[in-house]
Amino acid sequence: SAVISQKPSRDICQRGTSLTIQCQVDSQVTMMFWYRQQPGQSLTLIATANQGSEATYESGFVIDKFPISRPNLTFSTLTVSNMSPEDSSIYLCSVDQSGGGEKLFFGSGTQLSVL
Amino acid sequence: DQQVKQNSPSLSVQEGRISILNCDYTNSMFDYFLWYKKYPAEGPTFLISISSIKDKNEDGRFTVFLNKSAKHLSLHIVPSQPGDSAVYFCAADVWGSGGSNYKLTFGKGTLLTVNP
């Protein structure tokens, strides 16, 4: 199974600022994903991070708000831009190693609070 | 519109007894279902899955049952142990003929507490 390191584990940020979350995997993976879990809600897919090309965003999420980088097969970043209190969530990086999407491995998450 | 629903936010059981966690879905295109377990300050970890061609899948103390006509699945943990205390997420996927589309739809989770 993949070992995923996600940083920071938590942060408290001011409104209008941006935060970049890093995700490092101990092996090369094709598919990397970014999820968000708002308080009391389910995990929601933000985007799929593609190596060598732009990320693919889900409905309701845009690149200007959540820019993603994927410079290689083991690393990705998600930036939460121009934050507001509604962005307070847990952000999770995940990878698919099975090749079939049948199970994901998740990082430990970033608990973000926006004041 | 929530396509995967876990209507019980929490469940408390005694050690040694059975834990039953329920999940309902509305999208008839879902054909692969998964359960994930999440401890505090950790990411979810895969627990067990079931394909729509089956109605039961068992792995040790964990069994998942699928009732396609009712669009309902359940996770049974027997016997329950204090270490099973965690949030359990139900998730659904559309495989179809082309394999997974890599877009899992999750429920909100159920917090299971197993009391010693």
Side-chain angles (χ1 to χ4, degrees), chain B residues 30-45:
Chain B
F30 289 144
D31 54 8
Y32 201 87
F33 304 89
L34 309 91
W35 286 93
Y36 284 80
K37 179 170 71 174
K38 183 182 183 301
Y39 293 117
E42 296 183 11
T45 56

Side-chain angles (χ1 to χ4, degrees), chain A residues 3-42:
Chain A
V3 176
I4 304 171
S5 301
Q6 191 172 334
K7 294 190 296 186
S9 59
R10 58 176 59 238
D11 208 340
I12 301 173
C13 300
Q14 295 298 318
R15 182 195 300 260
T17 63
S18 298
L19 176 72
T20 295
I21 303 168
Q22 299 181 1
C23 179
Q24 178 75 54
V25 189
D26 67 342
S27 58
Q28 293 185 340
V29 293
T30 303
M31 309 295 290
M32 292 183 73
F33 308 90
W34 287 97
Y35 280 82
R36 179 178 75 178
Q37 185 184 15
Q38 294 178 301
Q41 301 300 311
S42 58

Side-chain angles (χ1 to χ4, degrees), chain A residues 92-104:
Chain A
L92 294 147
C93 165
S94 72
V95 303
D96 170 67
Q97 277 202 317
S98 67
E102 60 194 54
K103 51 185 177 181
L104 302 177

Side-chain angles (χ1 to χ4, degrees), chain A residues 52-71:
Chain A
S53 63
E54 279 198 359
T56 304
Y57 289 83
E58 297 301 307
S59 175
F61 298 96
V62 296
I63 187 172
D64 289 346
K65 176 67 176 177
F66 298 101
I68 289 171
S69 76
R70 181 84 196 273

Side-chain angles (χ1 to χ4, degrees), chain B residues 11-44:
Chain B
L11 174 68
S12 182
V13 299
Q14 285 298 119
E15 180 178 5
R17 307 294 285 268
I18 184 172
S19 295
I20 300 176
L21 295 96
N22 294 303
C23 178
D24 297 294
Y25 61 96
T26 58
N27 188 343
S28 58
M29 297 296 290
F30 289 144
D31 54 8
Y32 201 87
F33 304 89
L34 309 91
W35 286 93
Y36 284 80
K37 179 170 71 174
K38 183 182 183 301
Y39 293 117
E42 296 183 11

Side-chain angles (χ1 to χ4, degrees), chain B residues 40 80 94 105:
Chain B
S80 301
V94 177
T105 301

